[in-house]
Amino acid sequence: ERLEEVLKERLRKAARIKQDVEMWINTIPVRMQRIIRYRDFEELTWRQVAMKMGRKATEEGVRKEYQRFFDEN
């Protein structure tokens, strides 16, 4: 019973974190939202992210853009 309570609390915390992330992601530039969604949520490779971004995006370019964004924020 105690274990079940602990698991329920973890689920509640995870739901709050997910909601916070969703709210935060809506405040950042759309291009970065797409990169984060592709890389972190869809778990695509940098090459796949670049292909989905289009417009001559490169694997190295989107990786650096992602890294710079998180270094600055």
Coordinates of all heavy atoms in Angstrom, one line a residue:
E1 N 0.8 -1.2 0.0 CA 0.0 0.0 0.0 C 0.9 1.3 0.0 O 0.6 2.2 -0.7 CB -0.9 0.0 1.2 CG -2.0 1.1 1.1 CD -3.0 0.9 2.3 OE1 -3.6 -0.2 2.4 OE2 -3.1 1.9 3.0
R2 N 1.9 1.2 0.8 CA 2.8 2.4 0.8 C 3.5 2.6 -0.5 O 3.7 3.7 -1.0 CB 3.9 2.2 2.0 CG 4.9 3.3 2.0 CD 4.3 4.6 2.6 NE 5.4 5.6 2.6 CZ 5.2 6.8 2.1 NH1 4.1 7.1 1.6 NH2 6.2 7.6 2.2
L3 N 3.9 1.5 -1.1 CA 4.6 1.6 -2.4 C 3.6 2.2 -3.5 O 4.0 3.0 -4.3 CB 5.0 0.2 -2.9 CG 5.7 0.1 -4.2 CD1 6.9 1.0 -4.3 CD2 6.0 -1.4 -4.6
E4 N 2.4 1.8 -3.4 CA 1.4 2.3 -4.3 C 1.2 3.8 -4.1 O 1.1 4.6 -5.1 CB 0.0 1.6 -4.1 CG -1.0 1.9 -5.1 CD -2.3 1.1 -5.0 OE1 -2.1 -0.1 -4.7 OE2 -3.4 1.7 -5.1
E5 N 1.2 4.3 -2.9 CA 1.1 5.7 -2.6 C 2.3 6.5 -3.2 O 2.2 7.5 -3.8 CB 1.1 6.0 -1.1 CG -0.2 6.6 -0.5 CD -1.1 7.3 -1.4 OE1 -0.9 8.5 -1.8 OE2 -2.1 6.7 -1.8
V6 N 3.5 5.9 -3.0 CA 4.8 6.5 -3.5 C 4.7 6.6 -5.1 O 5.0 7.6 -5.6 CB 6.0 5.7 -3.1 CG1 7.2 6.1 -3.9 CG2 6.2 5.8 -1.6
L7 N 4.2 5.5 -5.7 CA 4.1 5.6 -7.2 C 3.1 6.6 -7.6 O 3.3 7.3 -8.6 CB 3.7 4.2 -7.7 CG 4.8 3.1 -7.5 CD1 4.3 1.7 -7.9 CD2 6.0 3.4 -8.3
K8 N 2.0 6.7 -6.9 CA 0.9 7.7 -7.3 C 1.5 9.1 -7.2 O 1.3 10.0 -8.0 CB -0.3 7.6 -6.4 CG -1.2 6.4 -6.8 CD -2.4 6.3 -5.8 CE -3.2 5.1 -6.1 NZ -4.4 5.0 -5.3
E9 N 2.3 9.4 -6.1 CA 2.9 10.7 -5.9 C 3.9 11.0 -7.1 O 4.0 12.1 -7.6 CB 3.6 10.8 -4.6 CG 4.3 12.1 -4.3 CD 3.3 13.3 -4.4 OE1 2.1 13.1 -4.1 OE2 3.8 14.4 -4.7
R10 N 4.7 10.0 -7.5 CA 5.6 10.1 -8.6 C 4.9 10.5 -9.9 O 5.3 11.3 -10.6 CB 6.4 8.9 -8.8 CG 7.5 8.7 -7.7 CD 8.4 7.5 -8.0 NE 9.3 7.3 -7.0 CZ 10.1 6.2 -6.9 NH1 9.9 5.2 -7.8 NH2 10.9 6.0 -5.9
L11 N 3.7 9.8 -10.1 CA 2.9 10.2 -11.3 C 2.4 11.6 -11.2 O 2.4 12.3 -12.2 CB 1.8 9.2 -11.4 CG 2.1 7.8 -11.9 CD1 0.9 6.9 -11.8 CD2 2.5 7.9 -13.4
R12 N 2.0 12.0 -10.0 CA 1.5 13.4 -9.9 C 2.6 14.4 -10.2 O 2.4 15.4 -10.9 CB 0.9 13.7 -8.5 CG -0.5 13.1 -8.3 CD -1.1 13.5 -7.0 NE -0.4 13.0 -5.8 CZ -0.8 11.8 -5.3 NH1 -1.7 11.1 -5.8 NH2 -0.1 11.4 -4.2
K13 N 3.8 14.1 -9.7 CA 5.0 15.0 -9.9 C 5.4 15.0 -11.4 O 5.7 16.1 -11.9 CB 6.2 14.6 -9.1 CG 6.0 14.9 -7.6 CD 7.3 14.5 -6.8 CE 7.1 14.9 -5.3 NZ 8.3 14.4 -4.6
A14 N 5.3 13.9 -12.0 CA 5.7 13.8 -13.4 C 4.7 14.6 -14.3 O 5.1 15.3 -15.2 CB 5.7 12.3 -13.9
A15 N 3.4 14.5 -13.9 CA 2.4 15.3 -14.6 C 2.6 16.8 -14.5 O 2.4 17.5 -15.5 CB 1.0 14.9 -14.1
R16 N 3.0 17.2 -13.3 CA 3.3 18.6 -13.1 C 4.5 19.1 -13.9 O 4.5 20.1 -14.5 CB 3.5 18.9 -11.6 CG 2.2 19.0 -10.8 CD 2.5 19.6 -9.4 NE 3.4 18.9 -8.6 CZ 3.1 17.9 -7.8 NH1 1.8 17.5 -7.6 NH2 4.0 17.2 -7.0
I17 N 5.5 18.2 -13.9 CA 6.7 18.6 -14.7 C 6.4 18.7 -16.2 O 6.8 19.6 -16.9 CB 7.8 17.5 -14.4 CG1 8.4 17.7 -13.0 CG2 9.0 17.7 -15.4 CD1 9.3 16.6 -12.6
K18 N 5.6 17.7 -16.7 CA 5.2 17.7 -18.1 C 4.4 19.0 -18.4 O 4.7 19.6 -19.4 CB 4.3 16.5 -18.4 CG 3.9 16.4 -19.8 CD 3.1 15.2 -20.1 CE 2.7 15.2 -21.6 NZ 1.5 14.5 -21.8
Q19 N 3.5 19.4 -17.5 CA 2.8 20.6 -17.8 C 3.7 21.8 -17.8 O 3.5 22.7 -18.6 CB 1.7 20.8 -16.7 CG 0.8 22.0 -16.9 CD -0.3 22.1 -15.8 OE1 -0.1 21.5 -14.8 NE2 -1.3 22.8 -16.2
D20 N 4.6 21.9 -16.8 CA 5.6 23.0 -16.8 C 6.4 23.1 -18.1 O 6.6 24.2 -18.6 CB 6.5 22.9 -15.6 CG 5.8 23.1 -14.3 OD1 4.7 23.6 -14.3 OD2 6.4 22.8 -13.2
V21 N 6.9 21.9 -18.6 CA 7.7 21.9 -19.8 C 6.8 22.3 -21.0 O 7.3 23.1 -21.8 CB 8.2 20.5 -20.1 CG1 8.8 20.3 -21.5 CG2 9.3 20.1 -19.0
E22 N 5.6 21.9 -21.1 CA 4.7 22.3 -22.2 C 4.5 23.8 -22.1 O 4.5 24.5 -23.2 CB 3.4 21.6 -22.1 CG 3.5 20.1 -22.5 CD 2.3 19.3 -22.2 OE1 1.3 19.8 -21.5 OE2 2.3 18.1 -22.7
M23 N 4.3 24.4 -20.9 CA 4.1 25.8 -20.8 C 5.4 26.6 -21.2 O 5.3 27.6 -21.9 CB 3.7 26.2 -19.4 CG 2.2 25.8 -19.1 SD 1.7 26.0 -17.3 CE 2.5 27.5 -16.8
W24 N 6.5 26.1 -20.8 CA 7.8 26.7 -21.1 C 8.1 26.7 -22.6 O 8.5 27.7 -23.2 CB 8.9 26.0 -20.3 CG 10.3 26.5 -20.8 CD1 10.9 27.6 -20.5 CD2 11.2 25.8 -21.7 NE1 12.1 27.7 -21.1 CE2 12.3 26.6 -21.8 CE3 11.1 24.6 -22.3 CZ2 13.4 26.2 -22.7 CZ3 12.1 24.2 -23.2 CH2 13.3 25.0 -23.3
I25 N 7.9 25.5 -23.2 CA 8.2 25.4 -24.6 C 7.4 26.3 -25.5 O 7.9 26.8 -26.5 CB 8.1 23.9 -25.1 CG1 9.0 23.7 -26.3 CG2 6.7 23.5 -25.4 CD1 9.3 22.2 -26.6
N26 N 6.2 26.7 -25.0 CA 5.4 27.7 -25.8 C 5.9 29.1 -25.7 O 5.4 29.9 -26.4 CB 3.9 27.6 -25.3 CG 3.2 26.3 -25.8 OD1 3.5 25.8 -26.9 ND2 2.3 25.8 -25.0
T27 N 6.9 29.3 -24.9 CA 7.4 30.7 -24.7 C 8.7 30.9 -25.5 O 9.2 32.0 -25.6 CB 7.7 31.0 -23.2 OG1 8.8 30.2 -22.8 CG2 6.5 30.8 -22.3
I28 N 9.2 29.9 -26.1 CA 10.5 30.0 -26.9 C 10.2 30.1 -28.4 O 9.1 29.8 -28.8 CB 11.5 28.8 -26.5 CG1 10.9 27.5 -27.0 CG2 11.8 28.8 -25.0 CD1 11.8 26.3 -26.8
P29 N 11.2 30.5 -29.1 CA 11.0 30.7 -30.6 C 10.5 29.3 -31.2 O 10.9 28.3 -30.8 CB 12.4 31.1 -31.1 CG 13.0 31.7 -30.0 CD 12.5 31.0 -28.7
V30 N 9.6 29.5 -32.2 CA 9.0 28.3 -32.9 C 10.1 27.4 -33.5 O 10.0 26.2 -33.3 CB 8.0 28.8 -34.0 CG1 7.5 27.6 -34.8 CG2 6.9 29.5 -33.3
R31 N 11.1 27.9 -34.1 CA 12.2 27.1 -34.7 C 12.8 26.2 -33.6 O 13.0 25.0 -33.8 CB 13.2 28.0 -35.3 CG 14.4 27.1 -35.9 CD 15.3 28.0 -36.7 NE 16.5 27.3 -37.1 CZ 16.6 26.5 -38.1 NH1 15.6 26.4 -38.9 NH2 17.7 25.9 -38.4
M32 N 13.1 26.8 -32.4 CA 13.7 26.0 -31.3 C 12.7 25.0 -30.8 O 13.1 23.9 -30.4 CB 14.2 26.9 -30.2 CG 15.0 26.2 -29.2 SD 16.4 25.2 -29.8 CE 17.3 26.3 -30.7
Q33 N 11.4 25.4 -30.7 CA 10.4 24.4 -30.3 C 10.5 23.1 -31.2 O 10.4 22.0 -30.7 CB 9.0 25.0 -30.4 CG 8.7 26.1 -29.4 CD 7.3 26.6 -29.6 OE1 6.4 25.9 -30.0 NE2 7.1 27.9 -29.3
R34 N 10.5 23.4 -32.5 CA 10.6 22.2 -33.4 C 11.8 21.4 -33.2 O 11.7 20.2 -33.2 CB 10.6 22.8 -34.9 CG 9.2 23.3 -35.3 CD 9.2 23.8 -36.7 NE 9.5 22.7 -37.6 CZ 10.1 22.9 -38.8 NH1 10.5 24.1 -39.2 NH2 10.3 21.9 -39.6
I35 N 13.0 22.0 -33.1 CA 14.2 21.3 -32.9 C 14.1 20.5 -31.6 O 14.5 19.3 -31.6 CB 15.4 22.3 -32.8 CG1 15.7 22.9 -34.2 CG2 16.7 21.5 -32.3 CD1 16.7 24.0 -34.2
I36 N 13.7 21.1 -30.5 CA 13.5 20.3 -29.2 C 12.6 19.2 -29.4 O 12.8 18.1 -28.9 CB 13.1 21.3 -28.1 CG1 14.3 22.3 -27.8 CG2 12.7 20.5 -26.8 CD1 13.9 23.4 -26.9
R37 N 11.4 19.4 -30.0 CA 10.4 18.3 -30.1 C 11.0 17.2 -30.9 O 10.9 16.0 -30.6 CB 9.2 18.9 -30.8 CG 8.3 19.6 -29.9 CD 6.9 19.9 -30.4 NE 6.1 20.5 -29.4 CZ 5.8 21.8 -29.5 NH1 6.3 22.6 -30.4 NH2 5.1 22.4 -28.5
Y38 N 11.7 17.5 -32.1 CA 12.2 16.4 -32.9 C 13.3 15.7 -32.1 O 13.4 14.4 -32.2 CB 12.8 17.0 -34.2 CG 11.8 17.6 -35.1 CD1 12.2 18.6 -36.0 CD2 10.5 17.1 -35.2 CE1 11.3 19.2 -36.9 CE2 9.6 17.7 -36.1 CZ 10.0 18.7 -36.9 OH 9.1 19.2 -37.8
R39 N 14.2 16.4 -31.5 CA 15.4 15.8 -30.9 C 15.0 15.1 -29.5 O 15.4 13.9 -29.3 CB 16.5 16.8 -30.6 CG 17.7 16.3 -30.0 CD 18.4 15.3 -30.8 NE 19.6 14.8 -30.1 CZ 20.4 13.9 -30.6 NH1 20.2 13.3 -31.7 NH2 21.4 13.5 -29.9
D40 N 14.3 15.8 -28.7 CA 14.1 15.2 -27.3 C 12.8 14.4 -27.2 O 12.8 13.4 -26.5 CB 14.1 16.4 -26.3 CG 15.4 17.1 -26.2 OD1 16.4 16.4 -26.4 OD2 15.4 18.3 -26.0
F41 N 11.7 14.8 -27.9 CA 10.5 14.1 -27.7 C 10.4 13.0 -28.7 O 9.9 11.9 -28.4 CB 9.3 15.0 -27.8 CG 9.3 16.1 -26.8 CD1 8.6 17.3 -27.1 CD2 9.9 16.0 -25.6 CE1 8.6 18.3 -26.1 CE2 9.9 17.0 -24.6 CZ 9.2 18.2 -24.9
E42 N 10.8 13.2 -30.0 CA 10.7 12.2 -31.0 C 12.0 11.3 -31.1 O 12.0 10.3 -31.8 CB 10.4 12.8 -32.4 CG 9.0 13.4 -32.4 CD 8.6 14.0 -33.8 OE1 9.2 13.5 -34.8 OE2 7.8 14.9 -33.9
E43 N 13.0 11.8 -30.4 CA 14.3 11.1 -30.3 C 14.9 10.9 -31.6 O 15.5 9.8 -31.9 CB 14.1 9.8 -29.5 CG 13.7 10.1 -28.1 CD 13.5 8.8 -27.2 OE1 13.6 7.7 -27.8 OE2 13.3 8.9 -26.0
L44 N 14.8 11.9 -32.5 CA 15.5 11.7 -33.8 C 17.0 12.1 -33.7 O 17.4 12.7 -32.8 CB 14.8 12.7 -34.8 CG 13.3 12.6 -35.1 CD1 12.9 13.7 -36.1 CD2 13.0 11.2 -35.6
T45 N 17.7 11.6 -34.7 CA 19.1 11.9 -34.7 C 19.3 13.3 -35.2 O 18.3 13.9 -35.8 CB 19.9 11.0 -35.7 OG1 19.4 11.2 -37.1 CG2 19.7 9.5 -35.4
W46 N 20.5 13.9 -35.1 CA 20.7 15.3 -35.5 C 20.5 15.4 -37.1 O 19.9 16.3 -37.6 CB 22.1 15.8 -35.1 CG 22.1 16.1 -33.7 CD1 23.0 15.6 -32.8 CD2 21.3 17.1 -33.0 NE1 22.7 16.1 -31.5 CE2 21.7 17.1 -31.6 CE3 20.3 18.0 -33.3 CZ2 21.2 17.9 -30.6 CZ3 19.7 18.8 -32.4 CH2 20.2 18.7 -31.0
R47 N 20.9 14.3 -37.7 CA 20.7 14.3 -39.2 C 19.2 14.3 -39.6 O 18.8 15.1 -40.5 CB 21.3 13.1 -39.8 CG 21.3 13.0 -41.3 CD 21.9 11.7 -41.8 NE 22.0 11.9 -43.2 CZ 23.0 11.4 -43.9 NH1 24.0 10.8 -43.4 NH2 23.0 11.6 -45.2
Q48 N 18.4 13.5 -38.8 CA 16.9 13.5 -39.1 C 16.3 14.9 -38.7 O 15.4 15.3 -39.4 CB 16.3 12.4 -38.3 CG 16.7 11.0 -38.8 CD 16.3 9.9 -37.8 OE1 16.4 10.1 -36.6 NE2 15.8 8.8 -38.3
V49 N 16.8 15.5 -37.6 CA 16.3 16.8 -37.3 C 16.5 17.8 -38.4 O 15.6 18.5 -38.8 CB 16.9 17.3 -35.9 CG1 16.5 18.7 -35.6 CG2 16.5 16.4 -34.8
A50 N 17.8 17.8 -38.9 CA 18.1 18.7 -39.9 C 17.3 18.5 -41.2 O 16.8 19.5 -41.8 CB 19.6 18.6 -40.3
M51 N 17.0 17.3 -41.5 CA 16.2 17.0 -42.7 C 14.8 17.5 -42.5 O 14.2 18.1 -43.4 CB 16.2 15.5 -43.0 CG 17.5 15.0 -43.5 SD 17.6 13.2 -43.7 CE 16.3 12.9 -44.9
K52 N 14.2 17.3 -41.3 CA 12.9 17.8 -41.0 C 12.8 19.3 -41.0 O 11.8 19.9 -41.3 CB 12.3 17.2 -39.7 CG 11.9 15.8 -39.8 CD 11.1 15.4 -38.6 CE 10.0 14.5 -39.1 NZ 8.8 14.5 -38.5
M53 N 13.9 19.9 -40.6 CA 13.9 21.4 -40.5 C 13.9 22.0 -41.9 O 13.4 23.1 -42.1 CB 15.1 21.9 -39.7 CG 15.1 21.5 -38.2 SD 13.6 22.1 -37.4 CE 13.9 23.9 -37.4
G54 N 14.6 21.3 -42.8 CA 14.6 21.7 -44.2 C 15.5 23.0 -44.4 O 16.4 23.3 -43.6
R55 N 15.2 23.7 -45.5 CA 15.9 25.0 -45.7 C 17.4 24.9 -45.6 O 18.1 25.7 -44.9 CB 15.4 26.1 -44.9 CG 14.0 26.5 -45.2 CD 13.7 27.7 -44.4 NE 12.6 28.5 -45.1 CZ 12.2 29.7 -44.8 NH1 12.8 30.3 -43.8 NH2 11.3 30.2 -45.5
K56 N 18.0 23.9 -46.1 CA 19.4 23.7 -46.1 C 20.0 23.5 -44.7 O 21.2 23.8 -44.5 CB 20.2 24.8 -46.9 CG 19.8 24.9 -48.3 CD 20.5 26.0 -49.0 CE 20.0 26.1 -50.5 NZ 20.7 27.1 -51.2
A57 N 19.2 23.2 -43.7 CA 19.7 22.9 -42.3 C 20.7 21.8 -42.4 O 20.4 20.8 -43.1 CB 18.5 22.7 -41.4
T58 N 21.7 21.9 -41.6 CA 22.7 20.8 -41.5 C 22.6 20.1 -40.1 O 22.2 20.8 -39.2 CB 24.1 21.2 -41.8 OG1 24.5 22.1 -40.7 CG2 24.2 21.9 -43.1
E59 N 23.1 18.9 -40.1 CA 23.2 18.2 -38.8 C 24.0 19.0 -37.8 O 23.5 19.2 -36.7 CB 23.9 16.9 -39.2 CG 24.2 15.9 -38.1 CD 24.8 14.7 -38.6 OE1 24.9 14.5 -39.8 OE2 25.2 13.8 -37.8
E60 N 25.1 19.5 -38.2 CA 26.0 20.2 -37.3 C 25.4 21.6 -36.9 O 25.4 22.0 -35.7 CB 27.4 20.4 -37.9 CG 28.4 21.1 -37.0 CD 28.8 20.2 -35.9 OE1 28.5 19.0 -35.8 OE2 29.5 20.7 -35.0
G61 N 24.7 22.2 -37.8 CA 24.1 23.5 -37.6 C 23.0 23.4 -36.6 O 22.9 24.3 -35.6
V62 N 22.1 22.5 -36.7 CA 21.0 22.4 -35.7 C 21.5 21.9 -34.4 O 21.0 22.4 -33.3 CB 19.8 21.5 -36.2 CG1 19.1 22.1 -37.3 CG2 20.2 20.1 -36.5
R63 N 22.5 21.1 -34.4 CA 23.1 20.6 -33.1 C 23.7 21.8 -32.3 O 23.5 22.0 -31.1 CB 24.2 19.6 -33.3 CG 24.7 19.0 -32.0 CD 25.9 18.1 -32.2 NE 27.0 18.8 -32.7 CZ 27.8 19.6 -32.0 NH1 27.6 19.8 -30.7 NH2 28.8 20.2 -32.6
K64 N 24.4 22.7 -33.1 CA 25.0 23.9 -32.4 C 24.0 24.9 -32.0 O 24.1 25.5 -30.9 CB 26.0 24.5 -33.4 CG 27.3 23.8 -33.5 CD 28.3 24.5 -34.4 CE 29.6 23.8 -34.5 NZ 30.6 24.5 -35.4
E65 N 22.9 25.0 -32.8 CA 21.9 26.0 -32.4 C 21.2 25.5 -31.1 O 20.9 26.3 -30.2 CB 20.8 26.0 -33.6 CG 19.8 27.0 -33.4 CD 18.9 27.1 -34.7 OE1 19.2 26.5 -35.7 OE2 17.8 27.8 -34.5
Y66 N 20.9 24.2 -31.0 CA 20.4 23.6 -29.8 C 21.3 23.9 -28.6 O 20.8 24.3 -27.6 CB 20.2 22.1 -30.1 CG 19.6 21.3 -29.0 CD1 18.3 21.0 -28.9 CD2 20.5 20.7 -28.1 CE1 17.8 20.1 -27.9 CE2 20.0 19.8 -27.1 CZ 18.7 19.6 -27.0 OH 18.2 18.8 -26.0
Q67 N 22.5 23.5 -28.8 CA 23.5 23.7 -27.7 C 23.6 25.1 -27.2 O 23.6 25.4 -26.1 CB 24.9 23.2 -28.1 CG 25.9 23.1 -27.0 CD 25.4 22.1 -25.9 OE1 25.0 21.0 -26.2 NE2 25.4 22.6 -24.6
R68 N 23.7 26.1 -28.2 CA 23.8 27.5 -27.9 C 22.6 28.0 -27.1 O 22.7 28.7 -26.1 CB 23.9 28.3 -29.1 CG 25.3 28.7 -29.5 CD 25.4 29.7 -30.6 NE 24.5 29.6 -31.7 CZ 24.7 28.9 -32.8 NH1 25.9 28.3 -33.0 NH2 23.8 28.8 -33.8
F69 N 21.4 27.5 -27.6 CA 20.2 27.9 -26.9 C 20.2 27.5 -25.4 O 19.9 28.3 -24.5 CB 18.9 27.3 -27.6 CG 17.6 27.6 -26.9 CD1 17.0 28.8 -27.1 CD2 17.1 26.6 -26.0 CE1 15.8 29.1 -26.5 CE2 15.9 26.9 -25.4 CZ 15.3 28.2 -25.6
F70 N 20.6 26.3 -25.1 CA 20.6 25.8 -23.7 C 21.8 26.4 -23.0 O 21.6 26.6 -21.7 CB 20.6 24.3 -23.7 CG 19.2 23.8 -23.9 CD1 18.8 23.2 -25.1 CD2 18.2 23.9 -22.9 CE1 17.5 22.7 -25.3 CE2 16.9 23.4 -23.1 CZ 16.6 22.9 -24.4
D71 N 22.9 26.7 -23.6 CA 24.0 27.4 -22.9 C 23.5 28.8 -22.5 O 23.9 29.3 -21.4 CB 25.2 27.5 -23.8 CG 25.9 26.2 -24.0 OD1 25.6 25.2 -23.2 OD2 26.8 26.1 -24.9
E72 N 22.7 29.5 -23.3 CA 22.3 30.8 -23.0 C 21.1 30.9 -22.1 O 20.8 31.9 -21.5 CB 22.0 31.6 -24.3 CG 23.2 31.8 -25.2 CD 22.9 32.3 -26.5 OE1 21.7 32.5 -26.9 OE2 23.9 32.5 -27.3
N73 N 20.3 29.8 -22.0 CA 19.1 29.8 -21.2 C 19.2 28.9 -20.1 O 19.2 28.4 -19.3 CB 17.9 29.5 -22.1 CG 17.7 30.6 -23.1 OD1 17.3 31.7 -22.8 ND2 17.9 30.3 -24.4

